[in-house]
C-alpha cells in the first residue's frame, strides 16, 4: 500500500492506494493562507487518518519547483508561506516511511502513463489545461523532470505578445470578458459567440501541440485539467492548426486524447519514487 498526496492552493487530497486503485481518500480545503507549520500539520493530520503498518511509502505532488532528490519545495503556487519547505525530511521523521516529492504536473503524467490513457506508450507529454498550463514529460517510459522538475513548463514559453499559458488556459477566456466554465456552458447551449471563442482557443492549443512535437516528438499527448472537458469544442480547430506542422507523418501517428481517470494526479503521486 502507498499513500498519495495531491496538494493545491485550493484543495488537498490524500488517498490510500493499492494496485493502482484509491481505496480510501480524504479531500479538504487547503489552509493556504496559514503559516507553513499549519499547512504541514493539516496535511499530516490527513495522512494520519490513512496510514497503517502496511503503507510502504508516501508520494506528494506539489505545484512548485521541486528539488526531488532532497524533497524540498520552493515558492509553492497558491500557498504564500511555502517559500522553502523541506517536505521529505519533515514527513519521513514524522511517519517513518520513505517520502517522495515531485511537481504536480509530473505526478499527473506519471498517473496517466501508469494507470490511464497513456499506458503502453513510451514517449508521452501530458498537458494540464486549467487556470494555468503545465506539462509532464515521459521519455522512454521514464518520467523526465529536468534538474528542478521544471522540464514541462511549456506554458511559460513566449508566444505572440505574452506566453502560451495566457492563450491556452482559463486566462484566455478571462481576457475576453468571460470564464472557461461560462464559455463551456454557453457552447453547450449552442451560443455562436462561445463556439467561436472555443475555435479560436483551439488554434492556440494547436500551436501548443506543435511546440510539444518540436521539443519532445512524443507518441501521445494527453490533456487534463478542467478545460480538457471542453475538448470537443476545440478539437477540430486544433487539428486544423496542426495541418501547418511540416512533418505530416508525425501528426498522422500522434495519439491525442483527454484523461478521464479521476484523481489521476494523486495516483501518480503515490507511484513516485
Amino acid at each position: 500500500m502507498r499513500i498519495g498526496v495531491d496538494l493545491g492552493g485550493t484543495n488537498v487530497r490524500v488517498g490510500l492506494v493499492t494496485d493502482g486503485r484509491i481505496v480510501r481518500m480524504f479531500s479538504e480545503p487547503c489552509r493556504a493562507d496559514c503559516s507553513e507549520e499549519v499547512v504541514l500539520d493539516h496535511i499530516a493530520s490527513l495522512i494520519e487518518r490513512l496510514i497503517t503498518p502496511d503503507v510502504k511509502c508516501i508520494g506528494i505532488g506539489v505545484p512548485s519547483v521541486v528539488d526531488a532528490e532532497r524533497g524540498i519545495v520552493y515558492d509553492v503556487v497558491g500557498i504564500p508561506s511555502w517559500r522553502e519547505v523541506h517536505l521529505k525530511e519533515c514527513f519521513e521523521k514524522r511517519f517513518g516511511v520513505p517520502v517522495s516529492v515531485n511537481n504536480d504536473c509530473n505526478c499527473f503524467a506519471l498517473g496517466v502513463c501508469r494507470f490511464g490513457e497513456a499506458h503502453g506508450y513510451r514517449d508521452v507529454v501530458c498537458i494540464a489545461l486549467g487556470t494555468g498550463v503545465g506539462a509532464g514529460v515521459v521519455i522512454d517510459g521514464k518520467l523526465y523532470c529536468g534538474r528542478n522538475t521544471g522540464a514541462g513548463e511549456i506554458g511559460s514559453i513566449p508566444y505572440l505578445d505574452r506566453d502560451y499559458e495566457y492563450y491556452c488556459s482559463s486566462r484566455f477566456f478571462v481576457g475576453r470578458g468571460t470564464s472557461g466554465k461560462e464559455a463551456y456552458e454557453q457552447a453547450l447551449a449552442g451560443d455562436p459567440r462561445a463556439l467561436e471563442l472555443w475555435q479560436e482557443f483551439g488554434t492556440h492549443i494547436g500551436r501548443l501541440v506543435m511546440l510539444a512535437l518540436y521539443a519532445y516528438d512524443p507518441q501521445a499527448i494527453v490533456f487534463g485539467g478542467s478545460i480538457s472537458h471542453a475538448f470537443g469544442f476545440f478539437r477540430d480547430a486544433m487539428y486544423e492548426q496542426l495541418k501547418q506542422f511540416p512533418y505530416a507523418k508525425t501528426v498522422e501517428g500522434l495519439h491525442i486524447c483527454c484523461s478521464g481517470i479521476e484523481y489521476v494526479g494523486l495516483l501518480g503521486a503515490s507511484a513516485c519514487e
Side-chain angles (χ1 to χ4, degrees), residues 37-261:
E37 292 74 18
V38 168
V39 179
L40 281 169
D41 286 343
H42 180 216
I43 299 168
S45 71
L46 296 177
I47 294 173
E48 285 168 354
R49 294 163 69 180
L50 291 176
I51 199 161
T52 70
D54 294 326
V55 170
K56 303 302 182 186
C57 59
I58 298 169
I60 307 173
V62 185
S64 70
V65 170
V66 180
D67 180 337
E69 184 175 340
R70 296 191 293 167
I72 303 172
V73 299
Y74 300 93
D75 304 318
V76 176
V77 174
I79 308 178
S81 64
W82 277 34
R83 313 313 298 176
E84 180 180 327
V85 182
H86 293 239
L87 204 50
K88 176 181 172 70
E89 179 183 0
C90 174
F91 282 173
E92 284 187 343
K93 285 182 179 178
R94 194 153 185 166
F95 296 108
V97 297
V99 173
S100 298
V101 185
N102 213 310
N103 174 270
D104 59 345
C105 285
N106 288 340
C107 292
F108 161 58
L110 192 59
V112 168
C113 289
R114 291 278 182 89
F115 311 111
E117 291 78 5
H119 183 69
Y121 290 97
R122 301 289 294 174
D123 300 295
V124 184
V125 175
C126 297
I127 303 175
L129 305 173
T131 54
V133 174
V137 181
V138 172
I139 297 175
D140 196 23
K142 298 177 181 178
L143 190 63
Y144 177 70
C145 298
R147 191 179 67 172
N148 298 300
T149 69
E153 294 298 333
I154 57 177
S156 298
I157 293 175
Y159 172 61
L160 299 179
D161 59 329
R162 306 209 183 205
D163 57 20
Y164 279 94
E165 184 163 275
Y166 178 82
Y167 286 96
C168 299
S169 72
S170 62
R171 293 171 61 189
F172 169 82
F173 298 96
V174 172
R176 283 150 181 78
T178 184
S179 67
K181 181 180 179 181
E182 185 177 19
Y184 177 62
E185 291 172 348
Q186 290 172 341
L188 284 173
D191 181 84
R193 170 60 179 155
L195 293 169
E196 185 179 313
L197 268 182
W198 283 110
Q199 290 294 301
E200 183 183 350
F201 180 79
T203 298
H204 298 305
I205 293 296
R207 295 301 297 254
L208 182 68
V209 170
M210 289 169 67
L211 171 66
L213 291 176
Y214 282 124
Y216 301 110
D217 190 23
Q219 297 169 292
I221 291 177
V222 183
F223 291 114
S226 58
I227 291 182
S228 68
H229 297 301
F231 186 60
F233 290 124
F234 64 82
R235 179 183 184 276
D236 289 347
M238 176 193 74
Y239 274 110
E240 188 64 29
Q241 183 66 39
L242 285 175
K243 290 180 180 179
Q244 297 185 25
F245 193 71
Y247 311 113
K249 284 293 182 183
T250 297
V251 176
E252 187 179 308
L254 178 67
H255 177 64
I256 302 178
C257 67
C258 294
S259 175
I261 306 297

